Amino acid sequence: MTADVTRAGQERGTADATHVDDDVVEPASRSTTADPADPAGVTRDRAFWAWTTLGLLVVVGLAALTRYLEQNVPAWAEGTAVEDIGAAIEYPVYAILLGLLGNVAVTLLGWRDRIAAAFRTEFFIKTGLVLLGASINLAVIASAAGPAIAQAILLISGVFLFTWWLAGRFGLDDKLRALLASAVSICGVSAAIAAAGAVRARREQLAYTASLVIVFALPSIFVLPWLADVFGLSDAVAGAWIGGNIDTTAAVTAAGALAGEEALQIASIVKVTQNALMGVVAVALTAYFTLRVERRPGAARPGLGELWSRFPKFVLGFIAASVIATWYLDAAGADGKATIAIVNDLRVLFLILAFVSIGLEVRVASLREAGWRPVAVFASATVFNLALALGLASLLFRNFSA
């Protein structure tokens, strides 16, 4: 871990490097209490906060532009040849693209390293994921999605193990293996964030994985509904196939809508069920990396304290939000949906800020260094996921009626 933090600090050229970890470390250099005998320290501290404020304005400005495009592009595209594309593209695409454009701009201006402290990817996305829990009604899953639970368990296990094995054959770093396997088998960037906290992955690895998720999810929005029609799949099977394959909830919703109303409902339940299992995978990765991957030969067996220190605790917030929302909706009835809608809007806001920050954090040199092997692994795992999910959906949802 120390080596990772040191390397990240060298890449940024500053002492404020942070780790993709459960807790954000605030170095002493950020303290607002300066030594009276060190006026130069006061100047540096003021400069830091001035640049950080500028960075926050950049992040918030790009997030606002993302929201504007998300809400207006469908109307602009209506009646044109790109109407379907305009309606299907969701905020993660706009946010990452604008983040990448902002990355180029601040790099050319020489601001990037100075404002980097404002790119709070971990804080934004962990907050968004906790709020995501409020949209997962455990009662609905338990009562109406028996086949979805079975599919989620079998699909996540099969795809994760295949991706982990294949990434090992390609010689990828264990931490990147964990991120890729989690992303492709569960729920894309959200799962990658949970895995990153569990295995203490580097920022560049997370940015790389997030980019792959977006690149592969976008064409799936149109390809999977089309293939479902070509294969003559029923709405239920098509929805289960879509929900079990596409790695972002927004893209699942878009693809499900193209496939039909019933397909959308099944796809949403399947994806929500997979999201709910994200915490289980985070626990398993925490234990595996602590007990096996990073345990030194001859060292004492790590105790529960070490497991707890590594565990991404925002997952507990995710579970708590789901339990509270389930109880609240049961108690408040239809009136409670308006409150949950407000929580969902906040979730989208934080995830937009996170995706913008991911784009701003991407370093081309790091992506180039990773090479083609992660792309080959992700693409192969996606094809495996398509085949396995189609088989499971055809088996479990063949006679399913909503």
Side-chain angles (χ1 to χ4, degrees):
M1 174 180 176
T2 303
D4 287 343
V5 174
T6 302
R7 180 161 53 252
Q10 291 171 344
E11 290 172 351
R12 287 192 175 193
T14 178
D16 68 352
T18 57
H19 208 279
V20 178
D21 201 349
D22 182 60
D23 300 310
V24 176
V25 179
E26 294 292 341
S29 62
R30 294 187 181 183
S31 173
T32 57
T33 304
D35 184 349
D38 183 19
V42 175
T43 302
R44 285 195 299 270
D45 190 64
R46 288 174 178 170
F48 168 81
W49 287 111
W51 282 109
T52 301
T53 300
L54 176 61
L56 285 173
L57 291 175
V58 171
V59 173
V60 172
L62 292 174
L65 182 55
T66 296
R67 198 65 164 160
Y68 178 78
L69 292 175
E70 179 201 13
Q71 294 174 346
N72 289 279
V73 166
W76 296 341
E78 189 172 352
T80 69
V82 294
E83 180 177 357
D84 290 341
I85 296 177
I89 294 179
E90 297 284 343
Y91 66 85
V93 178
Y94 295 122
I96 285 188
L97 289 178
L98 289 174
L100 291 172
L101 291 174
N103 190 333
V104 173
V106 297
T107 299
L108 292 176
L109 291 170
W111 295 356
R112 190 182 186 282
D113 289 336
R114 294 178 178 180
I115 67 174
F119 306 157
R120 311 303 292 175
T121 303
E122 293 86 358
F123 170 76
F124 293 141
I125 204 161
K126 287 176 181 178
T127 304
L129 292 181
V130 169
L131 296 174
L132 172 64
S135 67
I136 298 179
N137 191 318
L138 299 180
V140 172
I141 295 175
S143 63
I149 295 173
Q151 174 173 313
I153 293 173
L154 294 172
L155 190 61
I156 289 174
S157 300
V159 175
F160 186 97
L161 293 174
F162 173 81
T163 309
W164 179 268
W165 168 80
L166 185 63
R169 300 287 294 179
F170 274 78
L172 298 186
D173 173 78
D174 281 342
K175 295 180 179 180
L176 183 56
R177 290 171 73 188
L179 266 62
L180 292 174
S182 300
V184 75
S185 65
I186 310 175
C187 52
V189 178
S190 302
I193 284 287
V199 307
R200 295 178 174 176
R202 297 195 304 274
R203 290 176 181 273
E204 291 79 8
Q205 293 174 325
L206 178 58
Y208 193 103
T209 303
S211 300
L212 287 177
V213 168
I214 297 300
V215 167
F216 278 83
L218 191 56
S220 298
I221 294 173
F222 308 99
V223 173
L224 263 64
W226 172 72
L227 286 177
D229 186 56
V230 170
F231 295 157
L233 303 181
S234 67
D235 285 346
V237 172
W241 190 40
I242 290 170
N245 272 283
I246 301 179
D247 291 324
T248 71
T249 303
V252 166
T253 302
L258 292 177
E261 183 62 30
E262 183 180 349
L264 172 59
Q265 293 177 11
I266 300 299
S268 299
I269 291 175
V270 168
K271 178 51 62 179
V272 162
T273 305
Q274 291 188 192
N275 289 349
L277 294 175
M278 181 172 60
V280 177
V281 175
V283 172
L285 285 173
T286 299
Y288 182 75
F289 270 73
T290 302
L291 299 175
R292 294 287 300 275
V293 176
E294 297 180 358
R295 183 181 177 188
R296 296 179 181 178
R301 187 180 183 85
L304 292 177
E306 175 64 16
L307 291 173
W308 173 251
S309 68
R310 291 182 61 112
F311 178 70
K313 299 175 186 63
F314 78 91
V315 172
L316 300 179
F318 171 88
I319 296 171
S322 181
V323 172
I324 293 171
T326 299
W327 167 82
Y328 177 74
L329 285 173
D330 183 60
D335 294 337
K337 293 183 178 180
T339 302
I340 299 300
I342 294 174
V343 176
N344 288 338
D345 286 341
L346 287 173
R347 177 199 75 199
V348 170
L349 172 61
F350 276 101
L351 291 181
I352 287 175
L353 291 169
F355 286 125
V356 166
S357 296
I358 286 173
L360 288 166
E361 284 190 318
V362 169
R363 290 182 181 271
V364 176
S366 298
L367 299 181
R368 188 183 299 115
E369 181 182 349
W372 60 271
R373 292 178 299 167
V375 179
V377 169
F378 200 94
S380 300
T382 298
V383 173
F384 180 81
N385 194 13
L386 283 167
L388 181 58
L390 180 58
L392 290 173
S394 299
L395 177 65
L396 295 172
F397 288 85
R398 179 177 51 193
N399 298 317
F400 183 87
S401 58

